[in-house]
Amino acid sequence: MQKKLSSIMIGRHIQAHASIYLFVSVLFFMGVIFGAIVVNSLSLAQKEDLAYYLQQFFGQVSTGQMADSEDLFRQSFMHNLKYLGCMWLFGISIIGLPLIFIFLFMKGIVIGFSVGFLVQQMNWQGFFLAVATILPQNLIIIPAFVFVAAISIAFSLQLIKKILMRQAGHFYISSLFSRYVLFLLLAAGMAALAAGIEAYISPAFMKFVIK
């Protein structure tokens, strides 16, 4: 029953703020495109250095010298949770609103650069490697980033509206903040799921593709 109510609440929130979700989605994919373009602007020496480290990493993977899955899960989860938490806090601070856009755009750049570099260096093998190792966890974590960015922007705009209209509305703000916290917990669960995929599933795919 509680799960159903949460789904209804999320559905209503997305429907009420469809324009914000559309904007942040477009902003993120612009970051992905920009990241892929940045790969072409690298100098030959930079590309060679990155390719060398990439080969070293693949060599470790092929010989089974990878980080422990539990450590990988912990690192991935904490990294994504910190990133999500920062955007969530920016929504409360109001003045941090522009930083939400920057964080989301930067996340898109990182993903676009990673995929673009693999494809440029390894052609179709790089594409399949990106699909096997980058895509699975990002199918979960990207919606989480877009979701948190959207709720943070919406929360910040509602706070600004309250301040400008000089309305008290303590009960309304309290209810709004409770829902805001609930949404963060949902995003944290998505981050945990993405970290589990990255730590326990993606390495097996990576090893299979490399071999």
Side-chain angles (χ1 to χ4, degrees):
M1 184 67 180
Q2 188 174 2
K3 187 176 180 181
K4 186 177 180 180
L5 289 173
S6 299
S7 301
I8 294 173
M9 186 186 302
I10 294 169
R12 288 178 177 175
H13 184 274
I14 294 174
Q15 187 175 10
H17 302 93
S19 58
I20 295 178
Y21 278 94
L22 178 62
F23 174 77
V24 295
S25 297
V26 171
L27 179 65
F28 174 81
F29 284 109
M30 283 177 62
V32 173
I33 294 170
F34 184 78
I37 293 173
V38 167
V39 176
N40 294 321
S41 66
L42 294 176
S43 66
L44 181 60
Q46 290 173 324
K47 290 180 181 179
E48 289 177 347
D49 288 342
L50 287 173
Y52 172 76
Y53 289 119
L54 195 63
Q55 289 174 357
Q56 292 289 103
F57 174 73
F58 289 156
Q60 292 177 350
V61 172
S62 62
T63 57
Q65 299 176 7
M66 294 183 64
D68 183 70
S69 295
E70 292 183 5
D71 290 338
L72 187 59
F73 172 83
R74 192 180 305 109
Q75 292 174 9
S76 175
F77 176 66
M78 291 306 299
H79 170 74
N80 288 325
L81 188 62
K82 288 176 183 177
Y83 214 96
L84 293 169
C86 283
M87 289 197 294
W88 188 84
L89 290 173
F90 292 152
I92 297 176
S93 67
I94 297 179
I95 59 174
L97 181 60
L99 294 176
I100 299 173
F101 305 131
I102 295 173
F103 266 52
L104 189 65
F105 188 74
M106 290 299 295
K107 189 65 178 178
I109 289 176
V110 170
I111 294 175
F113 181 86
S114 302
V115 174
F117 185 75
L118 284 173
V119 172
Q120 187 187 68
Q121 293 296 311
M122 305 173 65
N123 299 320
W124 282 104
Q125 290 178 333
F127 173 76
F128 289 126
L129 190 63
V131 169
T133 60
I134 298 176
L135 181 63
Q137 61 268 23
N138 279 295
L139 287 176
I140 306 295
I141 200 61
I142 288 175
F145 279 110
V146 170
F147 177 64
V148 170
I151 65 170
S152 300
I153 293 168
F155 184 82
S156 186
L157 291 177
Q158 287 174 320
L159 286 181
I160 293 171
K161 183 180 178 181
K162 279 289 179 183
I163 293 172
L164 293 178
M165 295 179 66
R166 300 182 182 279
Q167 295 179 351
H170 296 299
F171 176 76
Y172 174 77
I173 294 297
S174 177
S175 175
L176 188 66
F177 184 75
S178 298
R179 187 168 52 184
Y180 192 48
V181 173
L182 178 63
F183 286 158
L184 177 64
L185 294 176
L186 175 64
M190 296 173 69
L193 178 59
I197 294 173
E198 185 175 357
Y200 297 100
I201 298 177
S202 292
F205 287 161
M206 185 187 299
K207 189 177 294 186
F208 174 78
V209 172
I210 291 174
K211 287 185 177 180

Short mmCIF file of all heavy atoms in Angstrom, two decimals, residues 109-160:
data_model
loop_
_atom_site.label_atom_id
_atom_site.label_comp_id
_atom_site.label_asym_id
_atom_site.label_seq_id
_atom_site.Cartn_x
_atom_site.Cartn_y
_atom_site.Cartn_z
N ILE A 109 28.72 15.27 -19.16
CA ILE A 109 30.03 15.38 -19.82
C ILE A 109 30.88 14.15 -19.53
O ILE A 109 31.53 13.59 -20.42
CB ILE A 109 30.76 16.66 -19.38
CG1 ILE A 109 30.08 17.90 -19.97
CG2 ILE A 109 32.23 16.63 -19.82
CD1 ILE A 109 30.67 19.21 -19.51
N VAL A 110 30.90 13.72 -18.26
CA VAL A 110 31.72 12.57 -17.86
C VAL A 110 31.29 11.31 -18.62
O VAL A 110 32.12 10.57 -19.15
CB VAL A 110 31.62 12.33 -16.34
CG1 VAL A 110 32.26 11.00 -15.96
CG2 VAL A 110 32.29 13.47 -15.58
N ILE A 111 29.99 11.09 -18.69
CA ILE A 111 29.48 9.89 -19.38
C ILE A 111 29.75 9.99 -20.88
O ILE A 111 30.20 9.02 -21.51
CB ILE A 111 27.98 9.72 -19.10
CG1 ILE A 111 27.75 9.40 -17.62
CG2 ILE A 111 27.39 8.59 -19.97
CD1 ILE A 111 26.30 9.34 -17.21
N GLY A 112 29.49 11.16 -21.46
CA GLY A 112 29.73 11.34 -22.89
C GLY A 112 31.19 11.18 -23.25
O GLY A 112 31.52 10.57 -24.27
N PHE A 113 32.08 11.71 -22.40
CA PHE A 113 33.51 11.59 -22.66
C PHE A 113 33.95 10.14 -22.57
O PHE A 113 34.74 9.66 -23.41
CB PHE A 113 34.29 12.44 -21.65
CG PHE A 113 35.78 12.41 -21.84
CD1 PHE A 113 36.39 13.27 -22.73
CD2 PHE A 113 36.57 11.48 -21.17
CE1 PHE A 113 37.77 13.24 -22.93
CE2 PHE A 113 37.93 11.43 -21.36
CZ PHE A 113 38.54 12.31 -22.24
N SER A 114 33.46 9.41 -21.55
CA SER A 114 33.86 8.01 -21.36
C SER A 114 33.47 7.16 -22.56
O SER A 114 34.29 6.40 -23.09
CB SER A 114 33.21 7.45 -20.08
OG SER A 114 33.57 8.20 -18.94
N VAL A 115 32.23 7.30 -22.98
CA VAL A 115 31.76 6.51 -24.12
C VAL A 115 32.46 6.95 -25.40
O VAL A 115 32.91 6.12 -26.21
CB VAL A 115 30.23 6.66 -24.27
CG1 VAL A 115 29.74 5.95 -25.55
CG2 VAL A 115 29.51 6.10 -23.06
N GLY A 116 32.59 8.26 -25.59
CA GLY A 116 33.23 8.78 -26.80
C GLY A 116 34.68 8.34 -26.92
O GLY A 116 35.13 7.99 -28.02
N PHE A 117 35.41 8.34 -25.81
CA PHE A 117 36.81 7.94 -25.86
C PHE A 117 36.96 6.46 -26.18
O PHE A 117 37.81 6.07 -26.98
CB PHE A 117 37.50 8.25 -24.53
CG PHE A 117 38.97 7.99 -24.53
CD1 PHE A 117 39.84 8.85 -25.17
CD2 PHE A 117 39.49 6.86 -23.92
CE1 PHE A 117 41.21 8.60 -25.19
CE2 PHE A 117 40.84 6.59 -23.93
CZ PHE A 117 41.71 7.47 -24.57
N LEU A 118 36.11 5.63 -25.57
CA LEU A 118 36.17 4.19 -25.85
C LEU A 118 35.88 3.90 -27.32
O LEU A 118 36.58 3.11 -27.96
CB LEU A 118 35.17 3.44 -24.96
CG LEU A 118 35.55 3.24 -23.50
CD1 LEU A 118 34.39 2.63 -22.73
CD2 LEU A 118 36.78 2.34 -23.38
N VAL A 119 34.86 4.56 -27.85
CA VAL A 119 34.48 4.33 -29.25
C VAL A 119 35.57 4.83 -30.19
O VAL A 119 35.91 4.18 -31.18
CB VAL A 119 33.14 5.01 -29.56
CG1 VAL A 119 32.83 4.94 -31.06
CG2 VAL A 119 32.02 4.36 -28.75
N GLN A 120 36.15 5.99 -29.87
CA GLN A 120 37.19 6.55 -30.74
C GLN A 120 38.45 5.68 -30.75
O GLN A 120 39.07 5.49 -31.80
CB GLN A 120 37.56 7.96 -30.28
CG GLN A 120 38.52 8.67 -31.23
CD GLN A 120 38.99 9.99 -30.68
OE1 GLN A 120 39.73 10.05 -29.72
NE2 GLN A 120 38.55 11.09 -31.31
N GLN A 121 38.81 5.14 -29.61
CA GLN A 121 40.04 4.36 -29.51
C GLN A 121 39.87 2.92 -29.99
O GLN A 121 40.81 2.33 -30.52
CB GLN A 121 40.54 4.35 -28.06
CG GLN A 121 41.01 5.69 -27.55
CD GLN A 121 42.22 6.20 -28.29
OE1 GLN A 121 43.20 5.49 -28.48
NE2 GLN A 121 42.15 7.45 -28.72
N MET A 122 38.68 2.35 -29.81
CA MET A 122 38.50 0.92 -30.06
C MET A 122 37.40 0.61 -31.06
O MET A 122 37.04 -0.57 -31.25
CB MET A 122 38.21 0.20 -28.73
CG MET A 122 39.28 0.44 -27.67
SD MET A 122 38.83 -0.25 -26.05
CE MET A 122 38.81 -2.00 -26.44
N ASN A 123 36.82 1.66 -31.67
CA ASN A 123 35.77 1.47 -32.68
C ASN A 123 34.60 0.64 -32.13
O ASN A 123 34.10 0.91 -31.06
CB ASN A 123 36.37 0.85 -33.94
CG ASN A 123 37.43 1.75 -34.56
OD1 ASN A 123 37.27 2.97 -34.61
ND2 ASN A 123 38.54 1.16 -34.99
N TRP A 124 34.22 -0.40 -32.87
CA TRP A 124 33.07 -1.20 -32.45
C TRP A 124 33.34 -1.96 -31.15
O TRP A 124 32.42 -2.18 -30.36
CB TRP A 124 32.66 -2.18 -33.55
CG TRP A 124 31.90 -1.53 -34.65
CD1 TRP A 124 32.34 -1.20 -35.89
CD2 TRP A 124 30.54 -1.09 -34.59
NE1 TRP A 124 31.35 -0.58 -36.62
CE2 TRP A 124 30.23 -0.51 -35.84
CE3 TRP A 124 29.55 -1.13 -33.60
CZ2 TRP A 124 28.97 0.03 -36.13
CZ3 TRP A 124 28.30 -0.60 -33.89
CH2 TRP A 124 28.02 -0.03 -35.14
N GLN A 125 34.57 -2.36 -30.94
CA GLN A 125 34.89 -3.02 -29.67
C GLN A 125 34.66 -2.06 -28.49
O GLN A 125 34.17 -2.46 -27.44
CB GLN A 125 36.34 -3.49 -29.69
CG GLN A 125 36.60 -4.65 -30.66
CD GLN A 125 38.06 -5.05 -30.69
OE1 GLN A 125 38.93 -4.23 -30.43
NE2 GLN A 125 38.32 -6.31 -31.01
N GLY A 126 35.04 -0.79 -28.69
CA GLY A 126 34.80 0.21 -27.66
C GLY A 126 33.33 0.45 -27.42
O GLY A 126 32.90 0.65 -26.28
N PHE A 127 32.54 0.40 -28.49
CA PHE A 127 31.09 0.58 -28.36
C PHE A 127 30.48 -0.55 -27.53
O PHE A 127 29.70 -0.31 -26.61
CB PHE A 127 30.44 0.62 -29.75
CG PHE A 127 28.94 0.63 -29.71
CD1 PHE A 127 28.26 1.78 -29.37
CD2 PHE A 127 28.23 -0.53 -29.99
CE1 PHE A 127 26.86 1.79 -29.33
CE2 PHE A 127 26.84 -0.53 -29.95
CZ PHE A 127 26.15 0.63 -29.62
N PHE A 128 30.86 -1.79 -27.87
CA PHE A 128 30.33 -2.94 -27.12
C PHE A 128 30.81 -2.92 -25.66
O PHE A 128 30.08 -3.30 -24.75
CB PHE A 128 30.74 -4.25 -27.79
CG PHE A 128 30.02 -4.50 -29.08
CD1 PHE A 128 30.72 -4.77 -30.26
CD2 PHE A 128 28.64 -4.48 -29.15
CE1 PHE A 128 30.07 -4.99 -31.45
CE2 PHE A 128 27.96 -4.72 -30.34
CZ PHE A 128 28.69 -4.97 -31.50
N LEU A 129 32.04 -2.46 -25.47
CA LEU A 129 32.58 -2.37 -24.11
C LEU A 129 31.80 -1.33 -23.31
O LEU A 129 31.49 -1.54 -22.13
CB LEU A 129 34.06 -2.00 -24.16
CG LEU A 129 34.82 -2.09 -22.83
CD1 LEU A 129 34.83 -3.51 -22.30
CD2 LEU A 129 36.24 -1.59 -23.01
N ALA A 130 31.48 -0.20 -23.95
CA ALA A 130 30.69 0.84 -23.28
C ALA A 130 29.29 0.33 -22.93
O ALA A 130 28.77 0.60 -21.83
CB ALA A 130 30.60 2.08 -24.17
N VAL A 131 28.69 -0.41 -23.86
CA VAL A 131 27.36 -0.97 -23.62
C VAL A 131 27.39 -1.96 -22.44
O VAL A 131 26.48 -1.99 -21.61
CB VAL A 131 26.81 -1.66 -24.89
CG1 VAL A 131 25.56 -2.47 -24.58
CG2 VAL A 131 26.52 -0.62 -25.96
N ALA A 132 28.46 -2.74 -22.38
CA ALA A 132 28.56 -3.78 -21.35
C ALA A 132 28.93 -3.23 -19.98
O ALA A 132 28.50 -3.76 -18.96
CB ALA A 132 29.58 -4.84 -21.77
N THR A 133 29.73 -2.17 -19.95
CA THR A 133 30.29 -1.73 -18.66
C THR A 133 29.76 -0.39 -18.16
O THR A 133 29.74 -0.14 -16.96
CB THR A 133 31.82 -1.61 -18.76
OG1 THR A 133 32.17 -0.66 -19.77
CG2 THR A 133 32.44 -2.95 -19.13
N ILE A 134 29.35 0.48 -19.06
CA ILE A 134 28.87 1.81 -18.66
C ILE A 134 27.36 1.89 -18.66
O ILE A 134 26.75 2.50 -17.76
CB ILE A 134 29.47 2.90 -19.58
CG1 ILE A 134 31.00 2.91 -19.47
CG2 ILE A 134 28.91 4.28 -19.24
CD1 ILE A 134 31.68 3.89 -20.41
N LEU A 135 26.72 1.26 -19.64
CA LEU A 135 25.28 1.38 -19.79
C LEU A 135 24.47 0.77 -18.64
O LEU A 135 23.53 1.42 -18.15
CB LEU A 135 24.85 0.75 -21.12
CG LEU A 135 23.35 0.82 -21.43
CD1 LEU A 135 22.89 2.26 -21.57
CD2 LEU A 135 23.04 0.04 -22.71
N PRO A 136 24.76 -0.47 -18.17
CA PRO A 136 23.86 -1.10 -17.18
C PRO A 136 23.56 -0.26 -15.95
O PRO A 136 22.39 -0.03 -15.62
CB PRO A 136 24.62 -2.39 -16.81
CG PRO A 136 25.46 -2.69 -18.01
CD PRO A 136 25.88 -1.36 -18.54
N GLN A 137 24.60 0.21 -15.24
CA GLN A 137 24.36 0.99 -14.03
C GLN A 137 23.80 2.38 -14.34
O GLN A 137 23.02 2.94 -13.56
CB GLN A 137 25.63 1.13 -13.18
CG GLN A 137 26.79 1.83 -13.86
CD GLN A 137 27.72 0.84 -14.55
OE1 GLN A 137 27.32 -0.27 -14.91
NE2 GLN A 137 28.97 1.24 -14.74
N ASN A 138 24.15 2.92 -15.52
CA ASN A 138 23.66 4.25 -15.85
C ASN A 138 22.19 4.25 -16.26
O ASN A 138 21.55 5.31 -16.25
CB ASN A 138 24.52 4.85 -16.98
CG ASN A 138 25.80 5.45 -16.44
OD1 ASN A 138 25.78 6.43 -15.70
ND2 ASN A 138 26.93 4.87 -16.80
N LEU A 139 21.65 3.10 -16.60
CA LEU A 139 20.21 3.00 -16.84
C LEU A 139 19.43 3.28 -15.56
O LEU A 139 18.25 3.67 -15.61
CB LEU A 139 19.85 1.60 -17.36
CG LEU A 139 20.26 1.29 -18.80
CD1 LEU A 139 19.94 -0.16 -19.14
CD2 LEU A 139 19.55 2.23 -19.78
N ILE A 140 20.08 3.11 -14.42
CA ILE A 140 19.46 3.37 -13.13
C ILE A 140 19.87 4.73 -12.57
O ILE A 140 19.04 5.51 -12.10
CB ILE A 140 19.83 2.28 -12.09
CG1 ILE A 140 19.50 0.89 -12.64
CG2 ILE A 140 19.12 2.54 -10.77
CD1 ILE A 140 18.03 0.65 -12.87
N ILE A 141 21.16 5.03 -12.64
CA ILE A 141 21.66 6.23 -11.97
C ILE A 141 21.34 7.51 -12.73
O ILE A 141 21.14 8.57 -12.12
CB ILE A 141 23.19 6.11 -11.70
CG1 ILE A 141 23.61 7.08 -10.58
CG2 ILE A 141 23.99 6.34 -12.96
CD1 ILE A 141 22.97 6.84 -9.26
N ILE A 142 21.26 7.45 -14.06
CA ILE A 142 20.92 8.65 -14.82
C ILE A 142 19.51 9.14 -14.48
O ILE A 142 19.33 10.34 -14.20
CB ILE A 142 21.09 8.41 -16.34
CG1 ILE A 142 22.57 8.33 -16.70
CG2 ILE A 142 20.41 9.53 -17.14
CD1 ILE A 142 22.83 7.98 -18.15
N PRO A 143 18.48 8.26 -14.48
CA PRO A 143 17.17 8.73 -14.03
C PRO A 143 17.19 9.27 -12.60
O PRO A 143 16.45 10.22 -12.30
CB PRO A 143 16.29 7.47 -14.13
CG PRO A 143 16.94 6.65 -15.18
CD PRO A 143 18.41 6.88 -14.99
N ALA A 144 18.05 8.70 -11.74
CA ALA A 144 18.16 9.21 -10.37
C ALA A 144 18.69 10.64 -10.36
O ALA A 144 18.19 11.50 -9.63
CB ALA A 144 19.05 8.29 -9.54
N PHE A 145 19.71 10.92 -11.16
CA PHE A 145 20.26 12.27 -11.24
C PHE A 145 19.25 13.26 -11.81
O PHE A 145 19.10 14.38 -11.30
CB PHE A 145 21.53 12.27 -12.08
CG PHE A 145 22.76 11.83 -11.34
CD1 PHE A 145 23.36 10.62 -11.63
CD2 PHE A 145 23.29 12.61 -10.34
CE1 PHE A 145 24.49 10.19 -10.93
CE2 PHE A 145 24.42 12.20 -9.63
CZ PHE A 145 25.02 10.99 -9.94
N VAL A 146 18.57 12.85 -12.87
CA VAL A 146 17.55 13.72 -13.47
C VAL A 146 16.42 13.97 -12.47
O VAL A 146 15.94 15.10 -12.33
CB VAL A 146 17.00 13.08 -14.76
CG1 VAL A 146 15.79 13.84 -15.27
CG2 VAL A 146 18.08 13.03 -15.84
N PHE A 147 16.02 12.93 -11.76
CA PHE A 147 14.95 13.03 -10.77
C PHE A 147 15.31 14.00 -9.65
O PHE A 147 14.55 14.90 -9.30
CB PHE A 147 14.67 11.63 -10.20
CG PHE A 147 13.62 11.60 -9.12
CD1 PHE A 147 12.31 11.96 -9.37
CD2 PHE A 147 13.96 11.20 -7.83
CE1 PHE A 147 11.36 11.93 -8.37
CE2 PHE A 147 13.02 11.16 -6.82
CZ PHE A 147 11.71 11.53 -7.10
N VAL A 148 16.51 13.83 -9.07
CA VAL A 148 16.95 14.70 -7.97
C VAL A 148 17.13 16.13 -8.44
O VAL A 148 16.78 17.08 -7.73
CB VAL A 148 18.23 14.15 -7.32
CG1 VAL A 148 18.83 15.16 -6.35
CG2 VAL A 148 17.95 12.86 -6.58
N ALA A 149 17.69 16.30 -9.63
CA ALA A 149 17.84 17.65 -10.17
C ALA A 149 16.49 18.33 -10.33
O ALA A 149 16.32 19.51 -9.96
CB ALA A 149 18.56 17.60 -11.51
N ALA A 150 15.50 17.59 -10.83
CA ALA A 150 14.17 18.16 -11.05
C ALA A 150 13.49 18.50 -9.73
O ALA A 150 12.92 19.59 -9.58
CB ALA A 150 13.32 17.18 -11.86
N ILE A 151 13.54 17.60 -8.76
CA ILE A 151 12.86 17.88 -7.48
C ILE A 151 13.56 19.01 -6.73
O ILE A 151 12.91 19.80 -6.03
CB ILE A 151 12.77 16.62 -6.58
CG1 ILE A 151 14.16 16.15 -6.14
CG2 ILE A 151 12.00 15.51 -7.27
CD1 ILE A 151 14.14 15.09 -5.06
N SER A 152 14.88 19.10 -6.88
CA SER A 152 15.63 20.17 -6.22
C SER A 152 15.28 21.52 -6.81
O SER A 152 15.08 22.51 -6.09
CB SER A 152 17.14 19.92 -6.34
OG SER A 152 17.50 18.69 -5.74
N ILE A 153 15.20 21.58 -8.14
CA ILE A 153 14.82 22.83 -8.82
C ILE A 153 13.39 23.22 -8.44
O ILE A 153 13.12 24.39 -8.13
CB ILE A 153 14.97 22.67 -10.34
CG1 ILE A 153 16.44 22.50 -10.72
CG2 ILE A 153 14.36 23.87 -11.07
CD1 ILE A 153 16.66 22.05 -12.14
N ALA A 154 12.49 22.25 -8.47
CA ALA A 154 11.08 22.52 -8.13
C ALA A 154 10.94 23.00 -6.69
O ALA A 154 10.22 23.96 -6.41
CB ALA A 154 10.24 21.26 -8.35
N PHE A 155 11.66 22.35 -5.76
CA PHE A 155 11.60 22.74 -4.35
C PHE A 155 12.15 24.16 -4.17
O PHE A 155 11.57 24.98 -3.45
CB PHE A 155 12.40 21.75 -3.51
CG PHE A 155 12.33 22.00 -2.03
CD1 PHE A 155 11.25 21.55 -1.29
CD2 PHE A 155 13.35 22.67 -1.38
CE1 PHE A 155 11.17 21.77 0.07
CE2 PHE A 155 13.29 22.90 -0.01
CZ PHE A 155 12.19 22.45 0.72
N SER A 156 13.26 24.46 -4.81
CA SER A 156 13.88 25.78 -4.70
C SER A 156 12.97 26.86 -5.26
O SER A 156 12.81 27.93 -4.66
CB SER A 156 15.22 25.78 -5.44
OG SER A 156 15.91 26.99 -5.23
N LEU A 157 12.34 26.59 -6.40
CA LEU A 157 11.43 27.57 -7.00
C LEU A 157 10.21 27.82 -6.12
O LEU A 157 9.73 28.96 -6.02
CB LEU A 157 10.98 27.09 -8.39
CG LEU A 157 12.07 27.06 -9.48
CD1 LEU A 157 11.52 26.48 -10.76
CD2 LEU A 157 12.63 28.46 -9.71
N GLN A 158 9.72 26.75 -5.46
CA GLN A 158 8.58 26.92 -4.56
C GLN A 158 8.96 27.73 -3.33
O GLN A 158 8.16 28.55 -2.85
CB GLN A 158 8.02 25.56 -4.17
CG GLN A 158 7.26 24.88 -5.31
CD GLN A 158 6.84 23.46 -4.97
OE1 GLN A 158 7.59 22.70 -4.35
NE2 GLN A 158 5.64 23.10 -5.34
N LEU A 159 10.17 27.54 -2.83
CA LEU A 159 10.65 28.34 -1.70
C LEU A 159 10.78 29.80 -2.10
O LEU A 159 10.39 30.70 -1.34
CB LEU A 159 11.99 27.81 -1.21
CG LEU A 159 12.00 26.50 -0.42
CD1 LEU A 159 13.43 26.17 0.01
CD2 LEU A 159 11.11 26.60 0.82
N ILE A 160 11.32 30.05 -3.28
CA ILE A 160 11.47 31.42 -3.78
C ILE A 160 10.10 32.09 -3.91
O ILE A 160 9.92 33.26 -3.55
CB ILE A 160 12.22 31.43 -5.12
CG1 ILE A 160 13.67 30.97 -4.94
CG2 ILE A 160 12.18 32.81 -5.76
CD1 ILE A 160 14.41 30.75 -6.24
#
